[in-house]
């Protein structure tokens, strides 16, 4: 065993020490195969044909001409595809998005809706035939524009109550010495992971097999079983290596289409989305229109807080991007009101995207806090420290641990915040105006029931089998370290197998809950295994296997507010002649529970912060109101941060212990992006004196902003 110092915590054992990925050699040598690369005998290929209109009905499809093209095996559409069931509640307690239930009727609810699947011997033949398919539509008027005050907006719960309210907001605002009342917007954003969505389906001995790239094999297994009216035992889903997911890799059209095609043709069928198809079929982060009203005493203590967030959803499925949810955790006031509203538009369905709700919501609330600090003449860090709540602002529950103050104090010290001149537009480096900004971050630390199989092998090693998903985060490695410590052995004696629904139910990789949930199940299995081996049980040739289930343990956990927290700091340089904004350095200090592997944890935190830079300055999917489709839906038209856009970015953490939590892991996958965009935007204000309330902060928006005023700046 080893001892190491990570952050400010001294830890013993495998957990807490830096370990390279256990599958790293496979990935860098190409031995690790992804969903679209695994060979199958007799494999056919499906290609989705998508609608070119934003709303209407399919009048006709000229399938006969396509069926005669070289290699074409079948054309599935609403007139001949197998029927599926969508009247059920899925594994996560939500109904399925009908976008996945392809070819069930002639309705077209948005541009890029699947209208057919062409199956051929090769992907090239399938693509050529799909592009040759002539589809005639009866078009209808459409609406794709999300705006403040849209008449179709209504409150929607999602996975939290739509609205919360306490106190007299109007009276508290009227009695406040300093008031902020502003609107903020964020654009449509896309996951854009490196590996596209891909799935192969086949029937083997009466059992449906799906080899996929997803965030939870038992999730997809359960959804497919319900949709095709099968017993879950008759469906097996495997997903060993995944090239990124960020929330979008659940049940999608390509898996369902592949299952339909293999059922019709009785041979393996693979369906892979193109990059352009992913922009309409893989989900995205909805644009938001948010209003924040803050009222504070002269000393900066909040008396009133209102955060309202509006997002779009499709006409066939309701998805809520709960931007106002972050205010329910971060700040309290005597009068406190939050609301998440949606409006149904003729657009594809949004979905979960890294830090759903918190990422766009933190931009609004943390920008508003910065404006409050400016107007009240209070340091932005000090303002946040003065408004630390004693309990959950809405829930009233105690915090399991809330070390945000430690994050800000340590971050401010390391960033050099004390030397900051609060006046905007005063620092220069040649042609560049320089500024610094900060923001707070939080993300929930939940867990889902999970099972794990642990086998003590005859050779003295241990094999863990759990239906976890490694999206590229290093989950395999983290679970290896957790299992080693729980078994009191070295990591070299542990093998972790993941990504197979046959291993039993387990939480998905989502909501920063994966590693926490899986580690809990593995720890429970290891405890039982140690007890059995301590009793002198001999290990037979087939080994000894135990199974854990954390359902009961989760139910017994004390009800508290459990979150990861962070303090983000950014320094930017702005060229007002060209509008260029450069993030020169960023620092994030986080309180995220027990850090399992500092090497991959830091990668996750820094990766989230880079995404925050990308969110602040680059990412924006623009929808054409005339066609309902996106302009340039690819990585040429949708800009993300590249190496040239990333400066000196560092992440670290402080001690964060919850005495009531037997696992202690909170998750680091999403907390890194929360607050990052606000920190950059606040730094741009400090550099220029101009406040940007709409993302991204493009060069044209910098150039079009008016000159700073003597009162501390203007608005863009």
């Amino acid at each position: 065993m080893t001892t190491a110092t990570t952050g400010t915590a001294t830890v013993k054992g495998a957990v807490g020490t830096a370990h390279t990925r256990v599958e790293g050699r496979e990935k860098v040598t190409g031995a690790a195969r992804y969903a679209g690369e695994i060979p199958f005998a007799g494999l056919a290929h499906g290609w989705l044909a998508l609608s070119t209109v934003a709303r209407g009905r399919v009048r006709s499809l000229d399938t006969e001409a396509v069926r005669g093209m070289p290699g074409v095996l079948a054309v599935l559409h609403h007139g001949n595809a197998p029927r599926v069931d969508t009247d059920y509640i899925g594994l996560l307690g939500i109904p399925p998005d009908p976008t996945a239930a392809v070819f069930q009727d002639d309705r077209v609810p948005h541009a890029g809706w699947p209208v057919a699947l062409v199956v051929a011997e090769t992907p090239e033949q399938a693509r050529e035939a799909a592009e040759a398919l002539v589809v005639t539509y009866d078009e209808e008027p459409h609406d794709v524009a999300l705006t403040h005050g849209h008449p179709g907006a209504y409150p929607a719960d999602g996975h939290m109550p739509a609205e919360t309210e306490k106190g007299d907001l109007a009276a508290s605002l009227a009695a406040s010495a300093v008031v902020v009342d502003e609107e903020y917007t964020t654009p449509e954003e896309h996951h854009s992971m490196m590996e596209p969505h891909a799935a192969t389906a086949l029937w083997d001995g009466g059992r449906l097999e799906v080899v996929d790239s997803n965030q939870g094999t038992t999730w997809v297994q359960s959804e497919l079983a319900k949709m095709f009216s099968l017993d879950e035992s008759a469906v097996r889903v495997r997903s060993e290596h995944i090239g990124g997911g960020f929330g979008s890799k659940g049940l999608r059209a390509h898996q369902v289409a592949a299952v339909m095609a293999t059922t019709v043709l009785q041979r393996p069928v693979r369906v892979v989305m193109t990059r352009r198809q992913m922009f309409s079929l893989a989900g995205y982060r909805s644009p938001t229109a948010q209003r924040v009203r803050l009222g504070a005493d002269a000393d900066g203590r909040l008396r009133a807080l209102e955060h309202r967030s509006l997002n779009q959803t499709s006409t066939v499925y309701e998805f809520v991007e709960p931007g106002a949810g972050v205010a329910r955790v971060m700040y309290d006031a005597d009068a406190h009101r939050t609301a998440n509203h949606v409006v149904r538009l003729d657009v594809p369905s949004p979905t979960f995207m890294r830090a759903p709700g918190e990422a766009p919501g933190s931009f609004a609330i943390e920008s508003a806090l910065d404006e409050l600090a400016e107007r009240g003449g209070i340091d932005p860090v000090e303002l946040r420290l003065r408004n630390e709540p004693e309990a959950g602002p809405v829930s009233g529950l105690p915090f399991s641990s809330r070390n945000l103050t430690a994050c800000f104090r340590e971050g401010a010290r390391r960033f050099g915040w004390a030397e900051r001149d609060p006046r905007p537009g005063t620092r220069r480096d040649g042609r560049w105006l320089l500024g610094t900004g900060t923001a707070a971050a939080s993300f929930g630390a939940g867990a889902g029931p999970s099972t794990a199989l642990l086998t003590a092998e005859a050779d003295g090693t241990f094999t863990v089998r759990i239906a976890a998903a490694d999206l590229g985060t290093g989950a395999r490695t983290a679970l290896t370290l957790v299992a080693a410590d729980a078994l009191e052995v070295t990591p070299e004696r542990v093998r972790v197998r993941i990504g197979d629904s046959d291993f039993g139910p387990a939480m998905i990789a989502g909501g920063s809950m994966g590693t926490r949930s899986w580690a809990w199940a593995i720890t429970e299995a290891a405890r039982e295994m140690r007890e059995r081996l301590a009793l002198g049980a001999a290990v037979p040739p087939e080994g000894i296997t135990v199974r854990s289930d954390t359902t009961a343990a989760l139910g017994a956990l004390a009800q508290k507010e459990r979150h990861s927290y962070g303090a983000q700091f950014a320094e930017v340089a702005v060229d007002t002649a060209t509008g260029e904004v450069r993030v020169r350095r960023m620092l994030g200090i986080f309180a995220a529970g027990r850090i399992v592997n500092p090497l991959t944890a830091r990668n996750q935190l820094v990766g989230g912060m880079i995404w925050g830079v990308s969110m602040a300055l680059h990412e924006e999917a623009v929808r054409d109101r005339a066609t309902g489709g996106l302009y340039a839906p690819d990585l040429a038209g949708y800009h993300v941060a590249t190496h040239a856009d990333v400066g000196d970015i560092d992440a670290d953490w402080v001690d964060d212990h919850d005495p009531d939590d037997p696992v202690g892991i909170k998750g680091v996958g999403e907390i890194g992006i929360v607050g990052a965009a606000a920190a950059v935007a606040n730094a741009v204000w400090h550099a220029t004196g101009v406040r940007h309330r709409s993302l991204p902060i493009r060069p044209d928006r910098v150039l079009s902003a008016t000159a700073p005023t003597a009162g501390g700046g203007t608005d863009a």
Side-chain angles (χ1 to χ4, degrees):
M1 298 296 177
T2 58
T3 301
T5 299
T6 165
T8 60
T10 300
V11 295
K12 295 181 179 179
V15 169
T17 59
H19 283 256
T20 57
R21 297 170 189 262
V22 296
E23 82 285 5
R25 180 175 294 275
E26 293 178 69
K27 286 185 172 176
V28 299
T29 60
R33 292 186 300 191
Y34 291 79
E37 301 174 320
I38 300 172
F40 290 90
L43 181 64
H45 300 267
W47 202 278
L48 289 164
L50 309 184
S51 71
T52 57
V53 302
R55 184 179 177 186
R57 295 191 176 274
V58 176
R59 183 192 303 169
S60 64
L61 300 97
D62 187 5
T63 59
E64 288 304 314
V66 169
R67 285 295 306 271
M69 295 180 68
V72 173
L73 302 169
V75 181
L76 298 181
H77 53 86
H78 70 273
N80 63 3
R83 302 293 95 182
V84 297
D85 182 14
T86 58
D87 187 17
Y88 66 86
I89 300 298
L91 183 70
L92 299 180
I94 55 178
D97 183 347
T99 304
V102 291
F103 318 138
Q104 298 301 291
D105 56 47
D106 62 357
R107 183 182 175 192
V108 174
H110 63 74
W113 176 266
V115 294
L117 178 77
V118 178
V119 187
E121 296 287 354
T122 70
E124 293 80 9
Q125 291 170 334
R127 178 174 187 168
E128 183 178 4
E131 292 178 348
L133 180 64
V134 176
V135 184
T136 305
Y137 302 94
D138 291 324
E139 288 193 62
E140 300 171 4
H142 63 264
D143 179 9
V144 297
L146 180 72
T147 56
H148 280 289
H150 193 290
Y154 63 92
D157 289 343
H159 62 273
M160 63 176 65
E163 299 178 335
T164 64
E165 184 173 7
K166 67 178 182 181
D168 189 330
L169 187 70
S172 294
L173 285 170
S176 296
V178 184
V179 173
V180 170
D181 184 353
E182 301 293 349
E183 294 182 346
Y184 305 85
T185 65
T186 61
E188 181 175 322
E189 300 166 1
H190 287 258
H191 304 76
S192 300
M193 73 294 296
M194 287 193 293
E195 181 202 19
H197 295 61
T200 302
L202 64 150
W203 288 94
D204 184 7
R207 194 179 193 208
L208 176 63
E209 298 246 3
V210 177
V211 178
D212 188 18
S213 177
N214 64 58
Q215 295 183 223
T217 53
T218 52
W219 178 22
V220 175
Q221 173 210 33
S222 175
E223 297 273 339
L224 289 174
K226 290 181 174 69
M227 191 169 283
F228 287 92
S229 302
L230 300 168
D231 290 332
E232 289 191 6
S233 61
V235 181
R236 182 187 186 190
V237 177
R238 289 180 289 148
S239 182
E240 185 176 4
H241 294 289
I242 307 159
F246 306 115
S248 78
K249 285 187 174 175
L251 186 71
R252 298 283 170 203
H254 66 296
Q255 297 123 314
V256 177
V259 173
M260 288 179 171
T262 194
T263 301
V264 170
L265 296 173
Q266 290 299 300
R267 60 185 287 186
V269 176
R270 174 174 294 157
V271 180
V272 181
M273 288 190 197
T274 68
R275 180 67 59 181
R276 280 182 165 252
Q277 289 174 344
M278 288 166 59
F279 276 83
S280 59
L281 294 180
Y284 58 95
R285 195 194 307 281
S286 167
T288 68
Q290 303 178 60
R291 184 184 182 188
V292 178
R293 292 200 287 174
L294 303 176
D297 292 334
D299 63 0
R301 287 179 172 82
L302 289 169
R303 302 188 62 166
L305 184 155
E306 182 183 40
H307 189 177
R308 306 177 69 87
S309 181
L310 174 67
N311 76 269
Q312 70 187 30
T313 190
S314 70
T315 59
V316 297
Y317 183 69
E318 181 182 272
F319 181 84
V320 182
E321 179 78 20
V326 67
R328 303 176 188 182
V329 174
M330 292 302 294
Y331 305 108
D332 202 357
D334 294 336
H336 195 285
R337 180 188 297 171
T338 65
N340 292 309
H341 289 197
V342 301
V343 59
R344 294 184 181 273
L345 298 175
D346 303 307
V347 295
S349 299
T351 193
F352 303 102
M353 184 166 164
R354 196 175 196 175
E358 280 85 352
S362 67
F363 166 67
I365 191 72
E366 293 298 318
S367 295
L369 260 291
D370 204 68
E371 298 201 50
L372 186 69
E374 171 201 344
R375 297 177 191 184
I378 302 172
D379 178 81
V381 170
E382 179 61 27
L383 178 70
R384 288 165 173 83
L385 297 180
R386 291 181 188 180
N387 283 286
E388 271 291 278
E390 296 181 358
V394 171
S395 70
L397 293 172
F399 294 105
S400 62
S401 61
R402 183 176 167 117
N403 293 321
L404 181 58
T405 295
C407 293
F408 268 113
R409 295 202 187 283
E410 176 66 9
R413 182 189 67 81
R414 289 174 54 170
F415 193 75
W417 188 262
E419 289 74 46
R420 178 183 190 259
D421 185 335
R423 296 173 301 168
T426 59
R427 287 180 61 207
R428 274 193 177 273
D429 180 9
R431 63 189 175 91
W432 301 94
L433 285 169
L434 305 182
T436 53
T438 190
S442 74
F443 195 82
S450 297
T451 63
L453 296 167
L454 175 60
T455 301
E457 308 289 358
D459 62 1
T461 63
F462 297 87
T463 302
V464 176
R465 295 174 177 84
I466 187 166
D470 191 334
L471 306 182
T473 57
R476 273 186 190 81
T477 309
L479 297 181
T480 299
L481 305 185
V482 168
D485 277 10
L487 291 165
E488 299 179 353
V489 301
T490 62
E492 291 73 24
R493 290 177 60 188
V494 177
R495 292 187 300 270
V496 175
R497 295 181 57 195
I498 65 173
D500 191 331
S501 62
D502 276 1
F503 296 159
M507 180 60 190
I508 68 167
S512 293
M513 293 188 284
T515 301
R516 173 174 161 81
S517 303
W518 308 322
W520 199 331
I522 290 171
T523 302
E524 288 293 302
R527 179 186 55 78
E528 182 178 344
M529 180 64 74
R530 287 201 319 272
E531 290 175 356
R532 293 185 62 172
L533 295 178
L535 294 173
V539 181
E542 67 275 14
I544 298 175
T545 299
V546 300
R547 180 182 184 273
S548 65
D549 186 337
T550 62
T551 303
L554 276 170
L557 191 64
Q559 292 297 304
K560 293 185 177 182
E561 288 268 6
R562 288 185 168 84
H563 306 270
S564 293
Y565 295 96
Q568 303 272 19
F569 295 84
E571 180 181 71
V572 304
V574 183
D575 185 341
T576 55
T578 65
E580 183 180 4
V581 178
R582 289 287 181 182
V583 177
R584 290 193 168 183
R585 62 187 178 109
M586 283 191 76
L587 172 66
I589 302 293
F590 301 94
R594 186 166 61 131
I595 302 300
V596 178
N597 184 356
L599 186 63
T600 52
R602 185 170 279 108
N603 286 344
Q604 282 292 291
L605 293 169
V606 169
M609 293 168 69
I610 291 172
W611 202 337
V613 172
S614 194
M615 177 181 176
L617 304 179
H618 304 284
E619 296 193 42
E620 181 181 26
V622 180
R623 199 164 288 279
D624 183 352
R625 296 193 181 190
T627 66
L630 295 175
Y631 291 104
D634 51 39
L635 292 182
Y638 182 77
H639 294 172
V640 299
T642 65
H643 286 296
D645 301 305
V646 179
D648 180 10
I649 298 183
D650 192 18
D652 210 336
W653 44 85
V654 298
D655 284 344
D656 188 32
H657 177 62
D658 176 4
D660 296 331
D661 190 338
V663 181
I665 298 169
K666 286 188 173 181
V668 295
E670 292 165 281
I671 184 67
I673 190 176
V674 182
V680 172
N682 293 339
V684 171
W685 169 81
H686 186 233
T688 64
V690 177
R691 183 70 64 178
H692 290 267
R693 301 189 182 95
S694 294
L695 296 183
I697 306 173
R698 302 188 311 253
D700 63 301
R701 287 177 170 167
V702 175
L703 291 174
S704 66
T706 55
T709 66
T714 59
D715 306 331

